[in-house]
Amino acid sequence: MNPHSFFVAGTDTGVGKTHVTALLLTEFRRRGLRAGAMKPIACGSGGRCDAEQYAALMNHEQPLDVLNPIYLRHPLAPLVAAKLERRRMDLHRVFANYHLLATNYQPLLVEGAGGLLVPIRRNYSVADLARALNLPLIIVARLGLGTINHTLLTVRQAQAMGLKIAGIILNDITGSQRGLAEKTNIKAVPELCGVPLLGVVPHGNGTAAARQICRLLLR
Ligand SMILES: Nc1ncnc2c1ncn2[C@@H]1O[C@H](COP(=O)(O)OP(=O)(O)OP(=O)(O)O)[C@@H](O)[C@H]1O
Ligand SMILES: [Mg+2]
């Protein structure tokens, strides 16, 4: 187990995994750490943007193909996209690139694709990839109505597969006025999941939240 590298898992696609990863990467590097991030599998036209963002934050020290070894054109689950494109994904490249990066960057943040049970191959999901990399999860969830269910489903699945969980980050993706769900999530989600809340990332500038989260992750 590498305690200073993490697998950034989402409760869904579009919940803010890249946004949060970029914030943490920026904060780790501001602290003088040689931090890095990768997106092993990206799908869809916007998919490679995630790794492009990480490459820029890492001063383009690594080529995009190292940070993102597998890129599929369709915005679909990797298994489905690969079938459509008649491609077989070479997961060896994912592991080789991960090991290359993990020896050069600490902490290394590995962004998943969609949620935990998104299929990469038949009978091989994003959660299997996290387990193969032996990394603790940072679970990113939307702040708002529905999040207790999504987060609990993710936590229960991770625990059933023996994955470690570093904590949960609630991300305010909409920035709309906080109602009762948003306010009560902050106490209810960690309590019901039995997993620590690392922080709440506000809409817009998340620098202060990232500082607090990085402090907790480095403890
Ligand atoms: N806290 C936030 N404040 C402002 N904008 C945000 C915030 N979180 C996410 N966003 C925006 O919401 C969109 C989706 O977020 P993001 O791309 O990080 O999700 P993701 O979980 O990485 O998605 P994917 O599954 O496609 O990789 C992006 O345009 C991002 O900039
Ligand atoms: Mg992303």
Side-chain angles (χ1 to χ4, degrees):
M1 169 79 63
N2 178 351
H4 289 320
S5 287
F6 301 94
F7 192 94
V8 182
T11 53
D12 196 2
T13 185
V15 294
K17 296 182 297 295
T18 304
H19 182 79
V20 168
T21 302
L23 279 174
L24 300 183
L25 179 58
T26 305
E27 172 57 17
F28 281 135
R29 288 179 81 100
R30 190 194 65 81
R31 285 170 171 246
L33 295 166
R34 195 168 152 74
M38 73 180 296
K39 170 94 180 178
I41 306 173
C43 300
S45 53
R48 245 185 168 191
C49 298
D50 296 2
E52 278 164 1
Q53 222 176 304
Y54 303 149
L57 293 172
M58 294 162 74
N59 303 317
H60 300 283
E61 293 158 359
Q62 298 290 334
L64 195 59
D65 286 344
V66 170
L67 303 186
N68 171 228
I70 299 182
Y71 170 57
L72 298 154
R73 278 180 296 113
H74 293 90
L76 296 167
L79 167 82
V80 185
K83 265 193 184 163
L84 259 187
E85 292 175 35
R86 296 173 193 277
R87 276 181 54 189
R88 185 172 165 77
M89 277 177 279
D90 182 5
L91 292 183
H92 290 112
R93 281 181 58 210
V94 169
F95 295 111
N97 290 14
Y98 168 77
H99 288 296
L100 172 86
L101 291 168
T103 52
N104 285 292
Y105 296 91
Q106 288 259 322
L108 180 66
L109 301 165
V110 180
E111 183 188 338
L116 275 190
L117 287 185
V118 163
I120 294 174
R121 287 201 177 141
R122 194 165 282 283
N123 300 319
Y124 194 90
S125 66
V126 168
D128 290 302
L129 176 62
R131 184 162 60 181
L133 296 174
N134 201 18
L135 293 175
L137 302 185
I138 293 173
I139 296 174
V140 179
R142 277 186 205 95
L143 187 67
L145 195 61
T147 268
I148 292 177
N149 176 51
H150 294 152
T151 315
L152 263 174
L153 285 169
T154 304
V155 166
R156 294 264 167 88
Q157 182 60 34
Q159 289 170 338
M161 293 178 70
L163 297 172
K164 289 216 160 49
I165 303 171
I168 297 163
I169 295 175
L170 293 174
N171 181 34
D172 186 353
I173 200 157
T174 62
S176 51
Q177 204 186 356
R178 290 195 186 173
L180 267 182
E182 289 77 7
K183 286 179 186 156
T184 51
N185 271 173
I186 295 166
K187 191 158 175 280
V189 168
E191 242 175 49
L192 292 165
C193 293
V195 172
L197 179 70
L198 295 168
V200 180
V201 172
H203 191 75
N205 189 340
T207 308
R211 286 193 181 165
Q212 180 215 324
I213 294 166
C214 288
R215 213 176 302 130
L216 290 175
L217 289 173
L218 291 171
R219 266 206 314 218

